[in-house]
């Protein structure tokens, strides 16, 4: 895992801080996803983020085989691969099946990191991102986490963690955990800086990973507000960098890992060129003052008689 900087997770495993995101909605053509991942490996990316619900696991698996075939990497062990358990599989007796299905699609014997994708449960039939509210069920955190721990014990996931968990939900999970989560993957960019949640995760020894570090403009939940920010543009121009690079450098300087998605060679390259320069105190100060707004609200998980009666319930007030 040479090349870009790495962090040590609480499992003792190393994770490259820069990862390539692979979520796009509407879905991208599988050939494009696959060739972009091979290009990324060629450029030096060693960390890839997928999920069953992104429908990019099979493309990632094929790209890894192709990269090995071309000699770009010696073996799969040189990569860090994350996937996620969708809510339709977040039933204690269905977690292992979810992971087995992901491994089959990926064509791998293990993932480096397996995350509970969202703190909710859906009926087993619900496999897509388009949530039908009638299928919402309360999440059995204790039982589901115990099954995640089993995935780690079996060696099918080298580390386990969560995504979209508030500090309160993490505290609830830790009350039952034998193995604490290694990672909490959450929305994070200059317009949603997650200061409180990051403090909470630091206290608990949980690494924070930033999804949509450029604002996720192409995803269902995203916005172009980050890439259109006048303040970020001013900083980028003064530094001779792009807005994307300022966002990623900022994330790096916060000590989190970050998962920009790009299926374009020039932008994949640009997103790596952030490790040999710094933001000044004054620039960091300006970024810290930007107005804050969560883009992914999780509204589709809210229902009158369900677990979350409002968006505030999902994030426990961290909105
Ligand atoms: P593309 O795949 O065409 O490069 P996020 O990681 O926050 O979800 O943002 C991903 C979006 O940002 C995608 O639309 C991606 O498009 C675009 N993107 C990725 N890198 C850059 C960059 N360096 N400059 C401009 N847009 C970028």
């Amino acid at each position: 895992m040479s090349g870009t900087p790495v962090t040590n997770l609480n499992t003792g495993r190393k994770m490259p801080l820069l990862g390539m995101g692979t979520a796009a909605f509407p879905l991208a053509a599988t050939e494009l996803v696959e060739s972009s991942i091979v290009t990324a490996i060629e450029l030096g990316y060693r960390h890839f983020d997928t999920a069953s619900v992104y429908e990019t696991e099979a493309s990632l698996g094929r790209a890894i085989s192709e990269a090995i075939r071309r000699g770009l990497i010696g073996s799969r062990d040189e990569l860090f691969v994350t996937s996620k358990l969708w809510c339709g599989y977040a039933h204690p007796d269905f977690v292992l099946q979810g992971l087995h299905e992901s491994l089959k699609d990926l064509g791998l014997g293990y993932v480096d990191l397996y995350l509970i994708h969202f703190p909710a449960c859906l009926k087993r039939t619900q496999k897509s991102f388009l949530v039908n509210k009638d299928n919402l069920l309360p999440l059995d955190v204790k039982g589901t986490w115990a099954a995640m721990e089993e995935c780690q014990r079996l060696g099918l996931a080298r580390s386990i963690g969560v995504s979209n968990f508030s500090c309160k939900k993490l505290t609830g999970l830790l009350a039952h955990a034998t193995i604490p989560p290694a990672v909490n993957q959450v929305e994070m960019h200059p317009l949603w800086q997650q200061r409180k949640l990051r403090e909470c995760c630091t206290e608990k020894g949980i690494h924070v990973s930033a999804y949509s570090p450029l604002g996720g403009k192409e995803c269902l939940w995203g916005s172009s507000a980050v890439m259109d920010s006048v303040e970020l543009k001013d900083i980028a121009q003064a530094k001779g960098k792009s807005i994307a690079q300022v966002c990623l450098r900022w994330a790096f300087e916060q000590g989190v890992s970050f998962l920009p998605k790009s299926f374009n060679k020039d932008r994949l390259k640009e997103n790596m060129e952030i490790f040999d320069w710094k933001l000044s105190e004054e620039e960091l100060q300006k970024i810290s003052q930007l107005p804050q707004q969560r883009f992914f609200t999780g509204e589709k998980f809210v229902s009158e008689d369900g677990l979350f009666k409002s968006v505030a319930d999902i994030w426990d007030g961290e909105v």
Side-chain angles (χ1 to χ4, degrees), residues 21 23-24 32 36 45 188-189 210-219 221-223 226-227 242-245 248 259-271:
L32 173 65
S36 305
Y45 281 75
M188 183 177 152
H189 43 69
Y211 74 71
S212 299
L214 309 177
K217 69 177 173 180
E218 202 185 7
C219 289
W221 58 84
S223 159
V226 171
M227 297 297 279
S242 70
I243 295 182
Q245 287 174 320
L248 300 176
L259 311 165
K261 173 264 164 188
S262 181
F263 293 156
N264 170 282
K265 183 174 183 178
D266 293 340
R267 291 190 282 279
L268 278 166
K269 188 164 178 293
E270 179 183 320
N271 294 347

